[in-house]
Amino acid sequence: NAAEVISENFHVLGVSVFRAVTDPPALNCLSSTEKQSSQTQFAFDAGWMSDLRTQGRPFNLEAENNAWSDALRKACPTQFEHGGDRLVVPLVASDQLVGLLVLADRVNGVSYSHEEMDLLACIGDQLAAAFLNCSLTEKVLQAKELEAFQTISTFFVHDLKNAANSLNLTLQNLPVHFDDPEFRADAVKTVGRTVERINQMILKLSSLRHELQLHRLPCRLDLLCADVLEIGRASCRERVSSPV
């Protein structure tokens, strides 16, 4: 990973890669060569992120004296007395802070040259672009999930509307034809089929929380056709006035 590559090429024992999140404002440690000493996540004020965004290039963490520098020093402590100063590389993309690189405990405490600082800035730009692409990909996936949910909801709402229309039509005709035994028998069947259809929809909705598994089962075509015809009749009844 990025932390190990930077550690090997710059001879730094402690390299931590953080990703900035905004809700709530925090830094998540994605990888570190010192996993036991680095926090997985810690709160990081939005104002602090704004300050870091303006830094732009790699800078010496020990030269900073404010709240956010104290928080970073606490999150990424030095392990060796002669490891040199800690270095921070802000990861900025599209004018927003998307993450941080923190380098600590360089072998023999050697200072970073201008060329190394330029190279770290270039690496930071590449990581920032990768973080931004990941964030955009996540948003695209969320949008597709929402679109799929809306499509599924449309079908379920349509089925529920048909079930409600069927029950509503039965209730409208009930006071007029209650004394007709044939109507009462048909009404009981209609209510029973409608309740069963609603229960089936509830089962389908419940199954969406789990991985989809298809099971082949024998099916009576006459019952299937009867259900389809009943749904069709319920749709047609919407456009026909009930008898008075």
Side-chain angles (χ1 to χ4, degrees), residues 142-155:
Q142 291 174 357
K144 288 184 176 180
E145 289 178 356
L146 179 60
E147 182 181 358
F149 175 76
Q150 290 174 338
T151 301
I152 293 173
S153 298
T154 300
F155 285 106

Side-chain angles (χ1 to χ4, degrees), residues 221-241:
L221 291 179
D222 58 333
L223 296 180
L224 176 61
C225 292
D227 288 340
V228 172
L229 290 173
E230 177 59 30
I231 293 174
R233 281 194 292 267
S235 299
C236 292
R237 287 167 186 162
E238 297 179 39
R239 303 174 180 84
V240 178
S241 300

Side-chain angles (χ1 to χ4, degrees), residues 101-238:
L101 278 175
V102 181
L103 286 67
D105 292 322
R106 196 175 194 192
V107 175
N108 297 325
V110 178
S111 299
Y112 295 90
S113 66
H114 291 294
E115 291 76 11
E116 288 175 327
M117 296 287 275
D118 289 339
L119 180 56
L120 283 170
C122 182
I123 293 173
D125 289 341
Q126 295 296 321
L127 278 176
F131 281 7
L132 184 61
N133 287 337
C134 289
S135 178
L136 293 175
T137 300
E138 289 173 359
K139 290 180 180 179
V140 169
L141 290 175
Q142 291 174 357
K144 288 184 176 180
E145 289 178 356
L146 179 60
E147 182 181 358
F149 175 76
Q150 290 174 338
T151 301
I152 293 173
S153 298
T154 300
F155 285 106
F156 277 107
V157 168
H158 180 266
D159 287 345
L160 282 173
K161 183 178 179 181
N162 285 337
N165 287 336
S166 180
L167 290 175
N168 185 51
L169 187 61
T170 300
L171 288 174
Q172 288 178 2
N173 287 307
L174 189 60
V176 179
H177 301 284
F178 184 78
D179 294 334
D180 186 350
E182 185 176 350
F183 172 81
R184 291 201 301 269
D186 183 64
V188 170
K189 292 180 181 178
T190 299
V191 172
R193 285 194 299 267
T194 304
V195 170
E196 178 62 24
R197 192 156 69 247
I198 293 174
N199 286 333
Q200 290 296 323
M201 284 186 279
I202 293 173
L203 287 175
K204 290 178 182 178
L205 280 172
S206 300
S207 67
L208 293 178
R209 295 178 297 177
H210 310 287
E211 183 179 355
L212 181 62
Q213 294 181 346
L214 301 179
H215 300 282
R216 293 184 178 182
L217 296 174
C219 175
R220 285 185 54 179
L221 291 179
D222 58 333
L223 296 180
L224 176 61
C225 292
D227 288 340
V228 172
L229 290 173
E230 177 59 30
I231 293 174
R233 281 194 292 267
S235 299
C236 292
R237 287 167 186 162
E238 297 179 39

Side-chain angles (χ1 to χ4, degrees), residues 4-31:
E4 293 176 350
V5 171
I6 294 172
S7 176
E8 292 175 2
N9 286 275
F10 289 86
H11 308 292
V12 182
L13 301 179
V15 179
S16 299
V17 181
F18 294 93
R19 184 173 183 180
V21 294
T22 57
D23 190 20
L27 291 178
N28 291 338
C29 185
L30 299 183
S31 63

